[in-house]
Amino acid sequence: MKKHSARVAPLSSYSSQVLTCPISEGEEGSDSHAETPGSEASVESKAYQTCASTILKVLGGLLVVLCISSSWVGTTQVVKLTFQSFSCPFFISWFSSNWNILFFPIYYATTMVTNREKQSPIQKFRECSRLFGEEGMTLKIFLKRTAPFSILWTLTNYLYLLALRKLTATDVSALYCCHKAFVFLLSWIVLKDRFMGVRIVAAIMAITGIVMMAYADGFHGDSFVGVALAVGSASTSALYKVLFKMFLGSANLGEVAHFLSTMGFFNLIFISCVPLILYFTKVEHWGSLSSLPWGYLCGLAGLWLVFNILVNVGVVLTYPILISIGTLLSVPGNAAVDVLKHEVIFSMVRLAATCIICLGFLLLLLPEEWDSVTLRFLANIAEKKSEQDHGEELTESSVHTRSRSRANGAVSIPLA
């Protein structure tokens, strides 16, 4: 019995190990085989959704680019037409800025259509008032936060309109593109943004284009004054954007709509006295209200409003770089209208200055990590090229070896 027990015990323990191990391995293998097709399908569906959303975002961005450039070209050209019968730039600027009041109502109407959760206008207004702090909108905060931005907004538009009285639409739109370079310089100095050598080069190119544009007709006359006014408009626009980033930070679309509507109310309440002062001092004099070109004024204000809406909404819907490209495309658009309709002849100096400013604008659109991305891309190309050359060398050496073996009468037998 001792012998039998000694022989049976190891067999029982061994059999238990043999029986348990194959069953567990089979279950795990069946589970892994069952999960593999589903995981692959989910990965493929996610990749397809990501690719589709990217394509839709790019197509929507291209549509927004076209609308932005068209609205800005239309705004500039309608201003030129309005000046033929009504040359009062500050009144036009004030009238167009009042239309900013419609920003928040348009935003609220859009959210009522697109969102399932319904909110009253007061609730939505209070929710978007968080941009001004925890206390919300008070008279002190209204004056403190809105006044400087509203003044900069009015100055930007007023100087832009004054420049259009002196220069062509193409020259003014090209000079206005220099605001991108001024934004970089102010952000680097005030906000301590990252230093980038390529953007310094772009800023130098913008300044070079400005000097060439002023030199085109000599440093005197309407041309020089127009260049100075356009550069002043670009400078105030850059200061507005840098201050907005400094004090208000990254606001969402609702907060931006609330802020622009607030600026429209400030313009209507506090800046309305300036057109009256200019009227009574005969600086900007017009006849009766019925004699004003209301069609041109309303069309101009509507196009300006559409441009500002597209710029602020496009940043949310698509890539911000496309919004900047839309502004840049207004330069060739205005040039086409000036040549075909107004028969403007551009000198070589003005064309060179415009091209230099546009090239500097494009350099400013480069991302911060463009240098490392470019180096990695070049390194990958060099690596692939070296691998290809190495493969060609191996192929050539093998062909040369076979030709030598055949010449010597040797036969190569492949090994099994």
Side-chain angles (χ1 to χ4, degrees), residues 32-185:
S32 63
H33 286 297
E35 291 177 359
T36 301
S39 62
E40 291 179 354
S42 63
V43 170
E44 290 179 357
S45 63
K46 289 180 180 179
Y48 176 76
Q49 292 176 359
T50 303
C51 183
S53 62
T54 304
I55 293 174
L56 290 176
K57 194 173 182 180
V58 171
L59 293 177
L62 295 177
L63 180 62
V64 172
V65 165
L66 181 62
C67 294
I68 287 175
S69 59
S70 302
S71 60
W72 192 235
V73 170
T75 301
T76 307
Q77 295 297 329
V78 172
V79 170
K80 299 288 286 186
L81 293 175
T82 307
F83 280 158
Q84 296 177 3
S85 58
F86 183 72
S87 183
C88 298
F90 194 90
F91 181 86
I92 296 173
S93 175
W94 169 81
F95 180 77
S96 301
S97 298
N98 288 336
W99 284 50
N100 287 340
I101 298 174
L102 300 176
F103 254 96
F104 187 79
I106 293 173
Y107 167 75
Y108 177 73
T110 305
T111 54
M112 288 292 291
V113 174
T114 56
N115 294 344
R116 296 181 179 179
E117 298 179 359
K118 307 299 181 182
Q119 290 180 319
S120 64
I122 298 177
Q123 290 177 344
K124 197 67 177 178
F125 188 83
R126 289 177 178 175
E127 179 183 344
C128 296
S129 298
R130 297 173 184 173
L131 179 68
F132 295 94
E134 298 179 355
E135 298 179 358
M137 176 67 71
T138 60
L139 181 59
K140 181 180 178 181
I141 294 177
F142 172 74
L143 296 175
K144 182 179 178 181
R145 292 291 180 89
T146 311
F149 291 102
S150 182
I151 293 172
L152 288 174
W153 181 283
T154 304
L155 277 176
T156 300
N157 297 339
Y158 180 55
L159 293 174
Y160 188 84
L161 296 179
L162 286 176
L164 285 173
R165 293 174 65 180
K166 305 291 185 180
L167 301 174
T168 63
T170 305
D171 294 341
V172 177
S173 58
L175 290 168
Y176 183 75
C177 288
C178 295
H179 77 277
K180 197 79 175 176
F182 299 153
V183 167
F184 163 69
L185 293 175

Side-chain angles (χ1 to χ4, degrees), residues 159-217:
L159 293 174
Y160 188 84
L161 296 179
L162 286 176
L164 285 173
R165 293 174 65 180
K166 305 291 185 180
L167 301 174
T168 63
T170 305
D171 294 341
V172 177
S173 58
L175 290 168
Y176 183 75
C177 288
C178 295
H179 77 277
K180 197 79 175 176
F182 299 153
V183 167
F184 163 69
L185 293 175
L186 289 174
S187 300
W188 177 42
I189 297 171
V190 178
L191 302 180
K192 307 299 181 183
D193 282 358
R194 178 185 173 186
F195 173 82
M196 291 183 62
V198 66
R199 293 185 178 177
I200 290 292
V201 173
I204 295 173
M205 293 177 68
I207 296 172
T208 304
I210 293 170
V211 174
M212 291 178 64
M213 193 75 73
Y215 177 74
D217 295 332

Side-chain angles (χ1 to χ4, degrees), residues 259-334:
F259 182 73
L260 292 174
S261 294
T262 306
M263 284 203 312
F265 276 111
F266 183 91
N267 184 80
L268 180 63
I269 296 171
F270 294 100
I271 304 182
S272 298
C273 59
V274 179
L276 295 176
I277 294 172
L278 296 177
Y279 174 80
F280 288 113
T281 56
K282 302 299 179 66
V283 177
E284 290 188 0
H285 185 74
W286 60 89
S288 61
L289 295 178
S290 60
S291 63
L292 296 180
W294 291 111
Y296 284 139
L297 291 176
C298 293
L300 167 63
L303 285 172
W304 219 323
L305 179 65
V306 169
F307 172 76
N308 290 319
I309 289 175
L310 289 173
V311 167
N312 291 282
V313 174
V315 175
V316 179
L317 297 179
T318 184
Y319 303 100
I321 189 174
L322 295 178
I323 308 303
S324 301
I325 293 175
T327 306
L328 180 64
L329 290 178
S330 64
V331 179
N334 281 313

Side-chain angles (χ1 to χ4, degrees), residues 9-25:
L11 289 174
S12 62
S13 63
Y14 178 75
S15 63
S16 64
Q17 293 176 0
V18 172
L19 289 175
T20 54
C21 290
I23 292 173
S24 61
E25 289 177 359

